[in-house]
Amino acid sequence: MKFTWGHGIVVALGLFISFILYLIFIFPIGKQNSELVTENYYEDELSYQKVIDAKNNAATLTAKPQYAQLPYGIRVAFPKDINNENAKIEYYLYRTNDKTQDKTGSVQLDADNSFLIPKNFMIPGSYTLKVLWTKDGKDYQVDYDVEWK
């Protein structure tokens, strides 16, 4: 039996179908994390205008909170005009690829007008740090991409 162009087409199609089936059934197993950022995605999406307003409010500030990576954690320092008497401060530390590593907290500022997220909360990798605060009835939010080492 001779190998003809018809046999070649059948072999090529068989290899192509095998490749597609490999991509669908074998390749994705254990390779992909398809978790949502939040379980209440649609409800959060409807209230996202509040986040936009808070970010716009923060953009108008002359001095914003700054973060620093230190050997013992992440320190977030606020400007002097924000203090414990007139501000409610929260942080959200989202792990980019593992929601079980997410951390949240409501904090009070120390004497240096800052707070610390201890290093034992984090493992090396990528995080998104969201700092939210309310001052004089107005909401603010700043987001930082953090690469913890």
Side-chain angles (χ1 to χ4, degrees):
M1 184 164 137
K2 287 183 119 182
F3 189 76
T4 65
W5 62 271
H7 293 111
I9 290 175
V10 170
V11 168
L13 283 174
L15 289 173
F16 179 73
I17 291 170
S18 299
F19 174 72
I20 296 298
L21 291 174
Y22 169 77
L23 288 178
I24 293 173
F25 294 110
I26 297 172
F27 183 69
I29 296 173
K31 307 277 191 228
Q32 183 175 335
N33 183 354
S34 61
E35 298 172 346
L36 291 174
V37 173
T38 178
E39 294 297 325
N40 302 322
Y41 177 78
Y42 294 107
E43 292 83 5
D44 291 348
E45 187 68 28
L46 293 174
S47 65
Y48 195 69
Q49 185 61 43
K50 294 177 186 175
V51 173
I52 294 171
D53 294 340
K55 287 183 178 184
N56 288 339
N57 291 340
T60 62
L61 296 175
T62 56
K64 298 176 184 75
Q66 298 296 320
Y67 82 95
Q69 290 189 34
L70 304 170
Y72 46 87
I74 297 176
R75 178 166 295 283
V76 179
F78 279 81
K80 294 297 178 196
D81 64 336
I82 298 173
N83 55 41
N84 284 331
E85 290 81 35
N86 65 358
K88 175 187 168 201
I89 301 167
E90 297 176 340
Y91 72 88
Y92 298 93
L93 191 63
Y94 291 112
R95 175 77 175 172
T96 307
N97 62 353
D98 185 4
K99 75 176 183 177
T100 62
Q101 297 294 322
D102 292 351
K103 306 294 180 199
T104 63
S106 182
V107 296
Q108 294 290 320
L109 298 179
D110 59 15
D112 295 328
N113 228 29
S114 62
F115 69 90
L116 177 72
I117 303 170
K119 74 174 184 176
N120 60 356
F121 275 19
M122 299 170 280
I123 59 173
S126 178
Y127 289 90
T128 299
L129 173 62
K130 296 183 179 202
V131 180
L132 297 85
W133 71 98
T134 303
K135 179 184 175 211
D136 301 328
K138 201 170 187 182
D139 293 331
Y140 299 89
Q141 178 176 339
V142 291
D143 297 349
Y144 303 105
D145 291 326
V146 178
E147 186 69 33
W148 181 253
K149 297 176 182 173

